[in-house]
Amino acid sequence: MMADSDSPPPTDEPPGQVNPEFADVLKLFTVLSRAHASLMQKSKEDVARHGLTPAEFAVLEVLYHRGPLLQGDIQSRILASSGGITYLVDRLAERGLVERRESPEDRRARYAALTAQGIAFMDRIFPEHARCLARSSAALSPGEQRQAIELLKALGKGARDAPPCSDAP
Amino acid sequence: MMADSDSPPPTDEPPGQVNPEFADVLKLFTVLSRAHASLMQKSKEDVARHGLTPAEFAVLEVLYHRGPLLQGDIQSRILASSGGITYLVDRLAERGLVERRESPEDRRARYAALTAQGIAFMDRIFPEHARCLARSSAALSPGEQRQAIELLKALGKGARDAPPCSDAP
DNA sequence: ACCTGTTATCTTAGCATTGAGACATTGATG
DNA sequence: CATCAATGTCTCAATGCTAAGATAACAGGT
């Protein structure tokens, strides 16, 4: 299969050829998106059984594992907008799973914390959820999983730190 | 609802400890989500410069590289809902980048195809975009990228094929 | 021809999420 | 003090997206 010279194709069937230099990066982004979508789908179905969205579950999870947190800290950890946090905490508070607490030293700031009911709820559903993810990730051996973790950690950090694409050489 | 009637002491400690057995899977899901979010953010900013959402760009990209496609095929490739495809193709058609074509042998089906203008548009912006992703993924060497591709391919396929978490042992 | 089930797209309603701005508080600087 | 920028949360309108149902066309069997 060789590249044909060049033909300004009529509007009918013109695949743009991928420059081989970029083939791997594009592929990487594709499989990354697909893998994420697949796992997220499983996770979503699982938490939906308890009437939660993934974002709501993410809030509960981070509070479950780290204790009360300033809403801004939750925001940076689960990657949501500030308005989104307000909305999420509102909904979870209505269910009695989370409560807001004032900060003693900064009256602008509010903590969000699991209620006793919220803790009990997570005690019940979190282990199931962890098993769900484990089963969904079982195609990778424990060693491969650790390998993937290291690669993805570096990839994520690199992408976060990379300069905006708008100012490119 | 002020209610600090009997809240737990201010010095709470994290309620839920992670079972070490599941530590790696949870970590994997986290770094996968973060890496995806970081790269997606870069990609989003890049295509936003041309007034496109990531989903719109995904449609253009798949048509650019594979030629005219049944809308259902686009749907499965970019992982959107059927209604989403209608909406996306509508918007792209309004801009003159994409057009619908009837299928000769199945009158239910419609093809979506890039217009000449759409092709010219992609000729112009796609290489930039590929460079953007390449720069954002540069934390991984080419070898590491290929390694990550293989791992993520297996992970994604495994998660897609895994049975629903609801029927667990 | 006539059902029955399946496939492909479109329609509609609803929702979670974002983004921009408002408001209050804090801390630094003069 | 007084001022001004920075910070933390909340409000609100806009929007992209999904899920479910509606519509239409195909395919197979009887």
Side-chain angles (χ1 to χ4, degrees), chain A residues 79-110:
Chain A
L79 308 175
S81 63
S82 78
I85 293 296
T86 302
Y87 185 48
L88 285 167
V89 174
D90 279 352
R91 283 183 300 177
L92 292 171
E94 275 171 18
R95 293 203 204 183
L97 299 175
V98 159
E99 66 181 6
R100 287 193 171 89
R101 300 181 192 167
E102 328 247 312
S103 163
E105 65 255 335
D106 187 340
R107 275 189 306 182
R108 294 168 299 179
R110 331 259 317 254

Side-chain angles (χ1 to χ4, degrees), chain B:
Chain B
M1 45 178 126
M2 13 227 335
D4 52 341
S5 40
D6 57 353
S7 38
T11 55
D12 323 57
E13 42 190 66
Q17 293 302 344
V18 176
N19 181 341
E21 182 190 352
F22 292 133
D24 273 354
V25 236
L26 296 171
K27 182 84 183 171
L28 177 58
F29 188 54
T30 302
V31 295
L32 173 63
S33 297
R34 279 201 209 289
H36 178 254
S38 302
L39 272 183
M40 183 54 91
Q41 180 60 24
K42 285 273 186 269
S43 173
K44 190 175 175 181
E45 287 168 10
D46 190 53
V47 303
R49 294 189 302 153
H50 307 105
L52 294 171
T53 68
E56 286 169 337
F57 184 81
V59 172
L60 294 179
E61 183 179 4
V62 71
L63 294 178
Y64 187 58
H65 287 127
R66 311 195 101 97
L69 244 47
L70 288 175
Q71 294 184 167
D73 291 338
I74 303 179
Q75 180 186 345
S76 59
R77 282 182 193 281
I78 74 170
L79 307 174
S81 62
S82 80
I85 293 296
T86 302
Y87 183 47
L88 285 167
V89 174
D90 278 352
R91 282 184 301 178
L92 293 170
E94 276 172 18
R95 293 202 205 184
L97 299 175
V98 160
E99 65 183 7
R100 287 196 172 87
R101 300 183 192 166
E102 328 247 313
S103 165
E105 64 256 334
D106 188 340
R107 276 187 308 182
R108 295 166 300 177
R110 331 262 313 256
Y111 284 89
L114 290 184
T115 60
Q117 185 188 345
I119 295 172
F121 181 67
M122 287 300 279
D123 281 340
R124 182 162 63 80
I125 75 169
F126 185 76
E128 284 178 36
H129 184 70
R131 267 194 300 278
C132 172
L133 288 183
R135 286 161 50 93
S136 305
S137 311
L140 261 45
S141 72
E144 288 170 330
Q145 291 185 13
R146 280 189 294 273
Q147 213 178 1
I149 288 172
E150 291 312 312
L151 290 167
L152 289 170
K153 209 187 287 180
L155 180 60
K157 175 166 172 37
R160 240 181 328 279
D161 298 345
C165 291
S166 40
D167 40 75

